[in-house]
Amino acid sequence: QGPAAGSRVVTLPRGAHPNNHGVVRVLLRRDTDGHEIPYERVHGVTLIAALRMGLTRRQREASMRDFLRLPLYEDMAPWNIVLAGRELEYIDYDTRTVTFDGLVPQAFRVMSVLVNYRRTVADLERCGNKAKVAYGVPFVGDCVGSAAFSGPCRDTALPVPCGDGKCHTDFISCLRSLEDVVRGLGEAAADAEEAETAAAAARAMRLRNLAFEAGGRVA
């Protein structure tokens, strides 16, 4: 049924809901950056709320079974899981469009890459302190802690603050970037030295020419 004649249709912003002749906003606000995450549909109770109110052993077991059936998302903390009827749903608006079912089985091998790479970097005496990474995730920020730039790096795709002033995917990417910076500085210094040598040679030639023009003798 459409609106009554003469009435005015109002489009509510995301996360706003009619309630008791008024409008309320339902949202989460991230502590890290104050970003607001609106709830467009409110149709269940978050798992963390249900746990705090108290679940029976059977309810916990059922929730665990349902949780294991969900696809793998980035932020499956209990406040991002809702009890919707007899099922669990993932509701994080920032990350619910990407799943990691194909990547998680590679987790151990990826961590092995980082652990062994770090060992060699450390033996070459190029491993410094750990960079500060969100959630304290191990290995990813090893060796590249820097006073020059410590973040924050809020994008989880680029979580590692690097001394080049940028956020990187991992400490290996940071080390490679820093090596490029050092090499670039060395090349710039060599170019400057070469330019200075050429300028000095040009000055000497000018002095030589002036000496000849004045009838002087140059040893």
Side-chain angles (χ1 to χ4, degrees), residues 95-117:
T95 60
R96 64 182 179 177
T97 59
V98 180
T99 58
F100 294 85
D101 298 77
L103 295 176
V104 169
Q106 301 295 322
F108 181 83
R109 299 177 72 183
V110 171
M111 287 190 290
S112 295
V113 171
L114 298 178
V115 169
N116 293 316
Y117 201 96

Side-chain angles (χ1 to χ4, degrees), residues 28-51:
L28 290 176
R29 183 174 290 108
R30 280 201 301 244
D31 291 337
T32 54
D33 59 4
H35 176 71
E36 293 183 351
I37 303 172
Y39 279 71
E40 298 181 36
R41 292 188 302 138
V42 181
H43 60 278
V45 178
T46 61
L47 180 58
I48 189 66
L51 289 169

Side-chain angles (χ1 to χ4, degrees), residues 58-186:
R58 181 173 296 181
Q59 288 171 325
R60 286 177 180 267
E61 291 175 352
S63 295
M64 184 63 188
R65 285 194 299 270
D66 291 340
F67 184 67
L68 292 172
R69 295 190 187 104
L70 290 174
L72 299 177
Y73 297 96
E74 182 177 343
D75 191 0
M76 299 185 74
W79 45 84
N80 287 326
I81 308 296
V82 296
L83 285 74
R86 295 187 176 183
E87 298 179 349
L88 295 182
E89 294 182 9
Y90 181 78
I91 60 168
D92 185 63
Y93 283 82
D94 286 349
T95 60
R96 64 182 179 177
T97 59
V98 180
T99 58
F100 294 85
D101 298 77
L103 295 176
V104 169
Q106 301 295 322
F108 181 83
R109 299 177 72 183
V110 171
M111 287 190 290
S112 295
V113 171
L114 298 178
V115 169
N116 293 316
Y117 201 96
R118 181 199 181 283
R119 168 60 192 268
T120 300
V121 172
D123 285 353
L124 291 171
E125 300 183 356
R126 290 289 301 278
C127 185
N129 295 325
K130 290 185 178 182
K132 186 177 181 181
V133 178
Y135 312 125
V137 174
F139 310 128
V140 178
D142 283 2
C143 299
V144 294
S146 171
F149 179 65
S150 58
C153 293
R154 295 190 174 96
D155 184 352
T156 55
L158 299 167
V160 179
C162 183
D164 64 357
K166 301 176 182 178
C167 297
H168 286 257
T169 55
D170 52 77
F171 77 87
I172 300 172
S173 172
C174 175
L175 286 172
R176 287 173 173 171
S177 177
L178 292 174
E179 185 65 23
D180 288 342
V181 171
V182 171
R183 185 168 62 250
L185 291 173

